Amino acid sequence: MNQFEGRVAVITGAASGLGREFANTAAGLGMKLVLGDVDAAALERATDELQAGGAEVLSMVVDVRKCAHVEELADAAMIRFHCVHLVFNNAGVGAGGLVWENSEADWEWVLGVNLWGVIHGVRVFTNMMLECARRDPGYEGHIVNTASMAGLLNPPAMGAYNVSKHAVVSLTESLYHDLRLVDAPIAASVLCPYFVPTDIDRSYRHRPHELEHEGAPTASQQAAQALLSKAVRSGKVSAADVSRITFEAIREGRFYIYSHPQALDGVAERMNAIVHGTQPADPYAATPQMTQMLKAGLTEQLFR
Ligand SMILES: NC(=O)c1ccc[n+]([C@@H]2O[C@H](COP(=O)([O-])OP(=O)(O)OC[C@H]3O[C@@H](n4cnc5c(N)ncnc54)[C@H](O)[C@@H]3O)[C@@H](O)[C@H]2O)c1
C-alpha cells in the first residue's frame, strides 16, 4: 500500500503504546482513524489529541475478546467512512510465570485478548475489506497483526504469552497464503517487536473482573513481572520507532516486521534445533542476565 491520504485505518489497542503511535503516524499521513480500546479514559484522551491535530476520528470502547464488540466497531467504521483499508489487530496483554502455575483465568485472559482478539479482527475485517474490493477496482488493503518476538521464540516464564503470539504468527501466515490463493488486493504483515517501552508491563490494569488473578502472585510470576518491567523500561527502540518501521514495511509490502533484527539470531538457532532434532536452543543465549534474573527470583523452586 502506497497511498494513505484519505484512506481509513482501524487500530485496536489504540489508546496506548504501539497502537497510539500507529494512530499518530496514520493521522500524519492524512488517514481517517477508527480507534478501539478497552480503556475508555485513555481512548478519550487519544481521540481528543488526534482530533485537535486535525484528524477525523471515530473511536469506540471495545473489548477485542468479544466478537460482538469487534463487529460493532467494524459496522460503525462502514457507516461513517464506507470502507476500511488498513487494519491493525494490535491490542494485547502480557502475563508471565512458570507455565504450570498459570491459572485457567490467566490462560483465558491472555488468549482471549492476544489470540481471540486477532481472530475476531481477521474474520470481521477481511470479509469487510473483500466487500470493499468488490465495489472498487482500485482498492488496496493491508492487515497488520501484532505478534511479538515471543511468537518466534519461547522465552522461559512467559508460556501463555508465547503460545498466544505463536498462534498470531501462524494465523497471519495462513491469512497471507489464503489472500494470495484468491488474488485478493489485500496484503498481510505480522509485527514481531522485542522489548519496547510501553505500558505492556502494566497490562493487569485492564484485566477483567471475572478473570481476576486468584491469590497472591507466585514467585515465578513476580520474577517474570520484574524482568518484563526491566526489559521493557530499558528498551532503546521506542514505540514511535516501531510505528515508523511498520509503515515502511506496509509501503514495501513486507510480511515480517521486526523492531530488533539482531534478536533473529535466536530464531535461527531455534529453527536449527528444530531441523536437526537437537534440544531447544536457549532463547536468552545472547542475554544470559535475563535467565539469571529469573533464577534469582526462584531460589526455592530450583531442583539442585
Ligand atoms: N511493548 C513491547 O515490548 C511489546 C513486545 C512485543 C509485542 N508487543 C505487543 O504489542 C501490542 C501493543 O502493546 P503495547 O506494548 O503497546 O502495550 P500497551 O499496554 O501500552 O498498549 C496495549 C493497549 O491494548 C489495550 N487493551 C488491552 N486489553 C484490551 C482488550 N481486551 N480490548 C481492547 N483493547 C485492549 C490497552 O488498553 C492498551 O491501550 C500487544 O499486542 C503486545 O503484546 C509489545
Side-chain angles (χ1 to χ4, degrees), residues 14-16 20 37-49 59-61 206:
S16 172
R20 181 67 185 82
D37 202 290
V38 79
D39 184 337
L43 185 63
E44 195 181 330
R45 270 197 307 279
T47 305
D48 289 348
E49 286 163 13
S59 62
M60 191 179 270
V61 176
H206 304 310

Side-chain angles (χ1 to χ4, degrees), residues 8-14 33-37 43 58-64 66-81 83-84 87-89 117 121 124-125 128:
V8 180
V10 180
I11 305 165
T12 66
L33 303 178
V34 178
L35 311 181
D37 202 290
L43 185 63
L58 163 71
S59 62
M60 191 179 270
V61 176
V62 294
D63 182 341
V64 296
K66 301 185 175 159
C67 189
H69 285 203
V70 177
E71 282 172 345
E72 274 171 38
L73 182 71
D75 289 346
M78 288 304 277
I79 289 168
R80 172 89 176 263
F81 297 125
C83 193
V84 299
V87 174
F88 294 90
N89 291 306
V124 170
F125 285 107
M128 196 161 266

Side-chain angles (χ1 to χ4, degrees), residues 11-22 36-40 42-43 60-66 69-70 89-94 109 112-114 117-118 145-151 158 161 164-165 168 191-208 228 231-233 235 237 239 242 259-260:
I11 305 165
T12 66
S16 172
L18 302 186
R20 181 67 185 82
E21 291 297 339
F22 294 147
D37 202 290
V38 79
D39 184 337
L43 185 63
M60 191 179 270
V61 176
V62 294
D63 182 341
V64 296
R65 296 177 304 137
K66 301 185 175 159
H69 285 203
V70 177
N89 291 306
N90 167 74
V93 292
W109 177 49
V113 182
N114 294 6
V118 181
N145 294 333
T146 303
S148 168
M149 225 44 210
M158 287 178 52
Y161 188 78
S164 72
K165 295 301 187 177
V168 171
L191 169 62
C192 297
Y194 205 46
F195 296 110
V196 179
T198 66
D199 279 343
I200 189 81
D201 60 331
R202 296 196 315 109
S203 293
Y204 47 79
R205 68 197 190 278
H206 304 310
R207 189 161 171 156
L228 177 66
V232 162
R233 300 284 150 195
V237 177
V242 176
S259 61
H260 296 69

